[in-house]
Amino acid sequence: MKALMFELSGRTAFFRKPDVNSYINFTYNHIHKIALLGLLGTIIGLGGYNKQYKYRMGNRNDVYPEFYQQLKDLKVSIIPLCTNGVFQKSNHVFCNTTGFASKENGGTLVIREQWLEKPAWKIFILDDGSIDRIVFDILVKNIMCMQCKYIPYLGKKNHLAIIKECSIVELDEVHDAKFIYSMFPRFNYDIKHQDGKTHDGGIPYVFREYLPLRLRKEDNAYEYQEFIYTNVEVCYLQKLYSVYTYKNCSIAFY
């Protein structure tokens, strides 16, 4: 099986959690699938939420934004390029002084955001015919030739994305892997803590986070799934999504 592979990084990133905004806007620890599909959509010129809203105002009832409708069936795999799956974070405070952002005195809105510092991931996109062939070929061509219809960013427009080390790689499907080197969605799995075995010979770690996996059809709200990133042995892999090997490292696609 072939896959498109590239490294995605940036100086900073901000993938806003929609459930907390009282004092500071927090970020997810990693790029999630919907944000990744949005980034891929910008590369080939697919419309986003704003375009969907304009269509609805014109009595056109699009169920999903164009990028999600076209790319939602892509199988992706994400490997964090950081220690134990954790990037450093920093808090940033800035003001909107246009006068239209707040009803407070002076019309100044103070915005506080948590940003990821120097995030980087290895991204794999499986070539399994899950989306329209023409769309997939355009995506591969644009990424390999470093061409983008719109500027790709990591969550917000002031967090520019860097795409490099692009290549087409060969993967082998595997059914009996003991370790998963990528993030994977929790799907009836178990982690073997008792023996302390790790794929890198280091101290065992298990990183967990609930991340958006799908958009709900009714209102485009996020549907969440718990994701795992660990160096310990995992069992019941036959219950996980598709698992392939690249350079003797097993990675899960979802």
Side-chain angles (χ1 to χ4, degrees):
M1 183 72 70
K2 291 184 178 180
L4 172 65
M5 180 185 71
F6 59 91
E7 183 177 317
L8 176 65
S9 63
R11 188 175 62 86
T12 55
F14 175 65
F15 305 106
R16 181 179 177 273
K17 291 185 176 182
D19 51 341
V20 179
N21 62 0
S22 59
Y23 177 75
I24 185 171
N25 293 315
F26 291 100
T27 180
Y28 293 107
N29 288 276
H30 294 283
I31 188 170
H32 50 81
K33 184 175 182 178
I34 299 170
L36 177 58
L37 296 183
L39 183 145
L40 299 177
T42 65
I43 292 175
I44 60 177
L46 297 179
Y49 294 98
N50 289 337
K51 189 174 182 180
Q52 182 191 21
Y53 176 75
K54 290 179 181 179
Y55 284 155
R56 286 183 174 176
M57 294 297 291
N59 297 322
R60 173 175 162 179
N61 188 22
D62 284 14
V63 175
Y64 295 118
E66 186 181 17
F67 80 88
Y68 189 76
Q69 182 65 45
Q70 295 280 348
L71 305 176
K72 60 184 173 62
D73 294 324
L74 272 181
K75 301 298 186 299
V76 303
S77 184
I78 300 174
I79 302 178
L81 302 179
C82 57
T83 303
N84 300 349
V86 179
F87 294 112
Q88 290 187 348
K89 301 183 184 71
S90 59
N91 295 337
H92 296 261
V93 181
F94 48 95
C95 297
N96 184 330
T97 59
T98 61
F100 299 99
S102 175
K103 294 182 180 180
E104 298 177 3
N105 292 334
T108 299
L109 177 65
V110 179
I111 302 172
R112 299 174 177 85
E113 291 180 347
Q114 180 189 65
W115 293 357
L116 301 177
E117 296 291 334
K118 298 181 180 179
W121 303 270
K122 185 75 73 175
I123 307 294
F124 293 82
I125 302 174
L126 198 62
D127 183 6
D128 63 346
S130 56
I131 68 170
D132 183 83
R133 186 76 243 175
I134 295 177
V135 174
F136 187 86
D137 289 343
I138 293 174
L139 177 62
V140 172
K141 175 180 176 294
N142 283 15
I143 291 179
M144 294 294 292
C145 297
M146 303 299 240
Q147 297 176 348
C148 299
K149 182 69 174 180
Y150 305 118
I151 298 175
Y153 51 87
L154 299 175
K156 288 182 66 177
K157 292 183 179 179
N158 51 333
H159 304 278
L160 299 181
I162 300 171
I163 298 174
K164 59 184 180 181
E165 298 183 10
C166 311
S167 62
I168 302 296
V169 298
E170 288 285 347
L171 306 176
D172 297 316
E173 191 168 9
V174 61
H175 301 283
D176 58 351
K178 293 184 178 180
F179 298 99
I180 297 292
Y181 288 72
S182 68
M183 299 178 65
F184 59 89
R186 180 177 179 178
F187 192 75
N188 200 6
Y189 79 102
D190 193 12
I191 294 178
K192 294 184 177 180
H193 291 285
Q194 63 274 14
D195 52 17
K197 292 182 180 179
T198 61
H199 63 67
D200 55 7
I203 298 174
Y205 64 84
V206 180
F207 175 87
R208 305 170 185 261
E209 184 176 21
Y210 279 89
L211 293 171
L213 180 59
R214 291 176 294 270
L215 290 182
R216 194 164 58 195
K217 182 180 295 185
E218 293 76 13
D219 55 6
N220 288 182
Y222 287 156
E223 292 184 354
Y224 293 86
Q225 174 66 53
E226 184 180 8
F227 278 77
I228 311 294
Y229 181 63
T230 181
N231 65 345
V232 304
E233 190 172 350
V234 179
C235 61
Y236 305 131
L237 290 183
Q238 70 277 8
K239 302 285 183 70
L240 288 174
Y241 292 78
S242 302
V243 179
Y244 291 82
T245 58
Y246 172 69
K247 293 185 176 180
N248 297 321
C249 297
S250 298
I251 55 178
F253 286 83
Y254 53 91

